[in-house]
């Protein structure tokens, strides 16, 4: 997680420079492609000079996406993309690969097909086009995201295995969409009543003054080649660059002297440089030494930051560093705290207009998610996996666990068999720190329209992270919003302090800064104090390399077990930990690994778990003997233990003609008119999954069955299908409802108290 320095630039090392020519900017991609590659170049029209220029430009794009300029990724080597390494075939492959990457980034709204690539690549490279395209597609480098045009490329009838994903954060959602595009049957079990995990946008304010505020992950840290930038581009969500201006104020509210500020910032960076030099001299600084202890020894050794103001300024930079790593300097490994620096995304750091909910909402579309499903146990073995949530049992071929490292550290989930000692030790070694926020909506922007950030020093070192940095969200939230950050030791104390006391402290800081300038600071309309450390679904904010840990521990967390149990999340990606884009990329990575593992199992059928594709007709017939709601030819059944309007159930409609005849007619359009002609003539029965809310909407349609069907198709966007076409979600719902009904019959009073069914849910 990168953070702003006193001038507003966001980086673990505020003065780090990057080579501009290696950068890639999502916001400028259209102009870049047009200028360097042309709008619609065809292979027959390109000169040798055009090809050389294009190849060079495409290599720049590939570099910015993390590919070596003249070599293969380790994943490409393992995949055997070329028959011989370091020869002409490899060179040709790299050129073709880079070309495909550039073509995809040229227009991320459209699914890039092999046919489109063939238009601009000579036929003699057909084999390399196929190999490179397949590698990039299945590893999530192209054709990922939320563009509406991608829907048609998701198989209507899943043909691969079944996967349960635990957690609907960025990693889980990314994996789910990718796996569905590969043809897998997928459901997500989410403990919260919302998606997003640690990415949480809250509506704050009052009627007429509502604002969207990110209480968790908020900043897109580096827009160059960032996959979240691609999603924003696909959704046409405006990005706001976090501006460089970031004034600092003393504890009494007076501005910090610019010269002293500059000198202390230089001292801070030189101290970090000395840490790097020590690592080289000592050939790997001892792994049991903290960054905080080394920095303090160096500060004393070079006798810097002697005055009170200088020390407070240096403490501010230390707090900024603790924010970047969600950990106290006393916990960070001096040897490996910055091991991910070489992989940082370049370019501007941005806010998304309207908050990150726009991306989360788009990722959820079409993905079956069960909310309120806290997972207690995951069982995995040669015959498949079982996931236990309350009294419900879910079964599938594979399971992807995306819960935060904090949950794994608490052993909140029981694994059977137990995780290997190697993985458990890595879980314990890695750090999982804390960042909290005070979010406030005001009647107006009193701090200045030209500011995105400003900081405040603290009298005391142990409280240096308390409200040390303020983010202004007025440019993207839709209202006058300020967020005060709390990092380091102060974040821990924050959790056990009364919110009214915290708000009073923040307001005292703001009044100390602005009232001497003659600016009245109004009371906030609404304020929220986060408690990420106490959240049972996270137990913290994001990971860091703690003393005695290293980047290798991220790799260990990412290792799958037996090709059945997989792991994703920001704490499983060594190159991009503690970032939103890291979580997303880890989901794409695991989707690829799951797909590869399934291919191996398909080549060894004895180890493949075979299951039905949907609920059996007997199960459905039994369920609909006692519908929970019925009108006309429409019957509905729901879980008897939840009355949430969003809870899902099954609907059945009866028609006269055969399924094949009906589908043929429906393919010509006018679904509602055609279906209405066949009502009241059994025996054809078609089904769909509906919520209680949708069922009530259908019941309110009074004009007859044809209008009800029209509303079903056009307003609700639902489709009817046979029992075998219902798939994983309906299968789970049918089993859940059937077992809940049986459970209620056996022990009505105790089940009612538990408000849960006793079910065994098997993913086909």
């Amino acid at each position: 997680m990168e953070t702003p320095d006193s001038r507003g630039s966001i980086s673990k090392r505020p003065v780090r420079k990057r080579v501009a020519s290696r950068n890639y900017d999502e916001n400028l991609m259209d102009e870049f492609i047009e200028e360097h590659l042309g709008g619609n170049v065809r292979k027959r029209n390109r000169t040798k000079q055009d090809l050389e220029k294009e190849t060079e430009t495409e290599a720049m794009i590939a570099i910015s996406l993390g590919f070596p300029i003249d070599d293969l990724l380790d994943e490409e080597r393992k995949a055997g993309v070329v028959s011989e390494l370091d020869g002409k075939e490899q060179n040709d492959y790299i050129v073709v690969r880079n070309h495909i990457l550039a073509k995809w980034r040229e227009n991320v709204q459209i699914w890039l097909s092999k046919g489109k690539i063939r238009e601009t690549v000579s036929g003699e490279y057909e084999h390399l086009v196929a190999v490179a395209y397949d590698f990039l597609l299945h590893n999530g480098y192209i054709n990922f995201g939320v563009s509406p045009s991608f829907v048609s490329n998701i198989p209507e009838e899943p043909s691969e295995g079944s996967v349960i994903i635990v957690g609907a954060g960025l990693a889980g959602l990314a994996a789910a969409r990718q796996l569905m595009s590969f043809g897998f049957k997928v459901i997500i079990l989410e403990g919260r009543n919302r998606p997003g995990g640690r990415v949480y946008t809250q509506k704050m304010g009052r009627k007429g003054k509502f604002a969207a505020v990110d209480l968790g992950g908020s900043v897109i840290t580096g827009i160059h080649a960032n996959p979240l930038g691609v999603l924003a581009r696909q959704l046409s969500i405006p990005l706001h660059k976090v501006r460089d201006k970031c004034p600092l104020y003393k504890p009494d509210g007076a501005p910090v002297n610019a010269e002293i500020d500059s000198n202390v910032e230089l001292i801070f960076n030189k101290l970090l440089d000395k840490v790097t030099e020590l690592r080289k001299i000592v050939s790997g600084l001892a792994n049991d030494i903290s960054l905080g202890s080394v920095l303090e020894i160096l500060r004393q050794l070079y006798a810097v930051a002697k005055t009170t103001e200088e020390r407070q300024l240096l403490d501010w930079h230390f707090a900024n560093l603790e924010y970047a790593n969600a950990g106290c300097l006393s916990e960070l490994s001096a040897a490996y705290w910055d091991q991910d620096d070489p992989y940082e995304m370049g370019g501007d750091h941005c806010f998304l207009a309207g908050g990150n909910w726009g991306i989360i909402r788009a990722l959820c579309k079409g993905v079956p998610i069960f909310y309120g499903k806290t997972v207690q146990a995951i069982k995995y073995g040669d015959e498949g996996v079982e996931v236990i949530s309350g009294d419900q049992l879910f079964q599938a071929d594979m399971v992807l666990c995306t819960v935060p490292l904090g949950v794994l550290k608490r052993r909140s989930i029981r694994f059977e068999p137990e995780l290997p000692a190697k993985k458990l030790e890595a879980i314990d070694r890695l750090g999982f720190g804390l960042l909290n926020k005070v979010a406030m909506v005001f009647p107006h922007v009193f701090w200045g329209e030209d500011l995105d950030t400003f900081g405040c020093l603290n009298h005391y070192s142990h409280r240096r992270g308390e409200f040390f940095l303020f983010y202004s969200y007025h440019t993207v939230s839709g209202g006058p919003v300020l967020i005060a950050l709390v990092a380091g030791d102060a974040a821990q104390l924050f959790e056990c302090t009364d919110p009214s006391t915290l708000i009073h402290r923040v307001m005292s800081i703001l009044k100390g800064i602005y009232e001497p300038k003659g600016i009245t600071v109004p009371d906030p309309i609404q304020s929220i104090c986060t408690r990420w450390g106490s959240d049972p679904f996270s137990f913290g904010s994001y990971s860091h390399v703690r003393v005695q840990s290293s980047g290798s521990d991220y790799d260990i967390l990412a290792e799958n077990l037996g090709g059945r149990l997989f792991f994703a999340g920001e704490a499983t990606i060594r190159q991009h930990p503690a970032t939103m884009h890291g979580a997303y990329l880890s989901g794409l990575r695991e989707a690829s690994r799951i797909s590869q593992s399934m291919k191996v199992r398909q080549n060894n059928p004895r180890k493949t778990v075979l299951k039905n594709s949907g609920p059996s007709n007997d199960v459905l017939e039994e369920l609909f003997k006692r519908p929970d709601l019925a009108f006309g030819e429409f019957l509905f059944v729901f879980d008897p233990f939840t009355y949430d309007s969003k809870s899902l159930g099954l609907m059945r409609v009866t028609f006269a003609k055969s399924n094949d005849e009906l589908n043929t007619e429906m393919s010509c359009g006018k679904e509602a008119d055609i279906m209405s002609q066949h009502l009241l003539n059994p025996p054809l029965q078609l089904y769909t999954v509906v919520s209680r809310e949708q069922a009530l909407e259908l019941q309110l349609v009074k004009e007859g069955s044809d209008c009800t069907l029209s509303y079903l198709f056009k307003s609700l966007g639902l489709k009817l299908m046979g029992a075998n076409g219902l798939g994983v979600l309906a299968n789970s719902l049918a089993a859940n409802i059937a077992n809940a009904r049986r459970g209620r019959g056996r022990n009505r009073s105790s089940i009612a108290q538990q408000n849960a069914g006793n079910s065994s849910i098997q993913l086909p």
Side-chain angles (χ1 to χ4, degrees), residues 201-259:
T201 306
Q202 173 70 47
K203 185 169 74 172
M204 294 181 62
R206 63 189 179 198
K207 190 173 182 179
K209 288 186 178 292
F210 283 124
V213 184
D214 283 315
L215 299 179
S218 55
V219 184
I220 295 184
T221 49
I223 197 61
H224 294 161
N226 196 311
L228 300 186
V230 172
L231 302 189
R233 200 169 160 215
Q234 290 172 336
L235 295 168
S236 299
I237 298 177
L239 296 173
H240 172 76
K241 173 190 173 183
V242 180
R243 291 169 286 190
D244 293 338
K245 185 179 179 181
C246 182
L248 297 183
Y249 298 92
K250 299 178 185 179
D252 62 3
V256 169
N257 178 276
E259 183 178 355

Side-chain angles (χ1 to χ4, degrees), residues 252-319:
D252 62 3
V256 169
N257 178 276
E259 183 178 355
I260 297 176
D261 181 9
S262 179
N263 289 338
V264 173
E265 185 174 351
L266 182 62
I267 289 170
F268 168 71
N269 284 292
K270 284 188 174 180
L271 289 176
L272 290 181
D273 288 338
K274 289 296 180 182
V275 175
T276 302
E277 291 176 16
L278 276 174
R279 287 193 299 218
K280 295 177 181 177
I281 295 172
V282 185
S283 67
L285 203 60
N287 200 22
D288 58 353
I289 298 177
S290 73
L291 178 62
S293 63
V294 175
L295 287 172
E296 180 58 23
I297 291 171
L298 291 172
R299 187 192 70 81
Q300 295 179 15
L301 180 64
Y302 290 99
V304 293
K306 294 180 181 179
T307 69
T308 299
E309 184 176 2
E310 289 174 340
R311 186 58 202 258
Q312 289 174 352
L313 264 170
L314 187 61
D315 272 336
W316 187 91
H317 286 286
F318 286 164

Side-chain angles (χ1 to χ4, degrees), residues 422-707:
K422 177 183 176 183
K423 191 178 285 285
L424 290 173
E425 290 165 1
I427 289 171
D428 292 337
R429 280 193 301 265
L430 276 173
F432 194 69
L434 190 57
L435 172 72
N436 274 312
K437 301 180 178 183
V438 175
M440 299 162 289
V441 180
F442 290 94
H444 59 272
V445 179
F446 62 85
W447 54 89
E449 297 281 352
D450 61 336
L451 277 183
D452 286 328
T453 58
F454 60 92
C456 186
L457 315 187
N458 202 292
H459 284 294
Y460 310 104
S461 289
H462 72 281
R463 289 175 57 182
R464 63 193 178 205
E466 184 179 79
F467 316 127
F468 82 100
L469 184 67
F470 288 80
Y471 270 115
S472 170
Y473 277 73
H474 70 281
T475 57
V476 293
S477 67
V481 175
L482 268 183
I483 288 185
L485 301 185
V486 188
D489 287 326
Q492 302 289 343
L493 297 172
F494 182 95
E495 297 258 334
C496 53
T497 305
D498 185 78
S500 61
T501 301
L502 297 171
I503 300 299
H504 176 74
R505 290 179 187 172
V506 175
M507 293 302 295
S508 296
I509 291 172
L510 293 174
K511 290 177 180 179
I513 293 172
Y514 289 101
E515 289 189 347
K517 300 178 182 181
I519 299 173
T520 300
V521 178
D523 290 333
I525 295 171
Q526 183 185 3
S527 59
I528 294 177
C529 298
T530 65
R531 292 284 191 273
W532 288 106
S534 307
D535 188 320
F537 299 109
S538 64
F539 293 114
S541 299
Y542 41 91
S543 64
H544 58 258
V545 182
R546 195 165 59 180
V547 172
Q548 296 188 339
S549 182
S550 71
S552 298
D553 286 331
Y554 288 116
D555 293 335
I556 294 172
L557 257 66
E559 293 175 355
N560 74 78
L561 300 177
R564 294 293 188 186
L565 171 58
F566 296 77
F567 293 86
E570 58 85 12
T572 72
I573 185 163
R574 182 177 190 165
Q575 297 85 353
H576 307 288
T579 62
M580 292 189 292
H581 61 262
Y584 184 85
L585 288 170
S586 75
L588 297 183
R589 178 199 69 208
E590 291 310 302
S592 173
R593 291 179 177 178
I594 288 171
S595 178
Q596 292 168 5
S597 180
M598 179 53 68
K599 285 181 173 62
V600 171
R601 293 191 177 279
Q602 287 173 341
N603 292 330
N604 185 3
R606 291 174 299 175
K607 292 188 176 181
T608 300
V609 180
L610 300 177
K611 301 180 176 71
N612 296 325
S613 59
S616 70
N617 287 322
D618 289 342
V619 170
L620 292 171
E621 191 62 35
E622 186 65 28
L623 285 178
F624 283 99
K625 284 181 179 178
R626 294 180 295 151
D628 297 302
L629 176 65
F631 51 88
E633 293 72 32
F634 301 86
L635 305 180
F636 302 82
V637 292
F638 294 97
D639 186 333
F641 299 122
T642 176
Y643 294 93
D644 185 347
S645 63
K646 302 296 183 183
S647 64
L648 299 179
L650 298 174
M651 183 190 81
R652 185 174 80 181
V653 190
T654 303
F655 299 95
K657 288 193 177 182
S658 70
N659 200 8
D660 290 338
E661 289 176 300
L662 192 60
N663 286 337
T664 300
E665 294 181 14
M666 285 177 62
S667 66
C668 300
K670 299 182 179 180
E671 296 95 335
D673 294 336
I674 294 168
M675 285 194 166
S676 63
Q677 298 172 16
H678 307 299
L679 289 173
L680 305 175
N681 294 308
L684 178 61
Q685 295 166 337
L686 297 183
Y687 302 85
T688 191
V689 175
V690 296
S691 67
R692 286 183 181 271
E693 183 178 45
Q694 291 172 326
L696 293 176
E697 288 183 40
L698 289 170
Q699 189 179 25
L700 294 176
V701 179
K702 301 298 185 182
E703 289 79 4
S705 298
D706 55 344
C707 291

Side-chain angles (χ1 to χ4, degrees), residues 18-29 32-33 37 55-71 73 94 97-106 108 136 141 144 221-230 233 341-348 575-576 581 585:
R18 298 182 178 89
V19 182
S21 65
R22 294 166 66 90
N23 286 346
Y24 168 93
D25 192 335
E26 281 296 340
N27 294 326
L28 302 178
M29 194 56 200
F32 181 84
I33 290 290
L37 301 183
T55 299
E56 181 180 348
T57 302
E58 291 173 346
M60 290 167 50
I61 294 174
I63 290 170
S64 72
L65 294 172
F67 287 82
I69 187 170
D70 56 359
D71 202 355
L73 294 173
I94 291 172
R97 176 199 70 191
N98 295 349
H99 179 66
I100 295 173
L101 288 168
K103 292 298 289 183
W104 152 242
R105 292 296 171 126
E106 179 180 337
V108 296
L136 295 174
Y141 292 107
F144 66 83
T221 49
I223 197 61
H224 294 161
N226 196 311
L228 300 186
V230 172
R233 200 169 160 215
D341 271 10
Y343 310 101
E344 283 184 355
M345 298 286 180
D348 296 331
Q575 297 85 353
H576 307 288
H581 61 262
L585 288 170

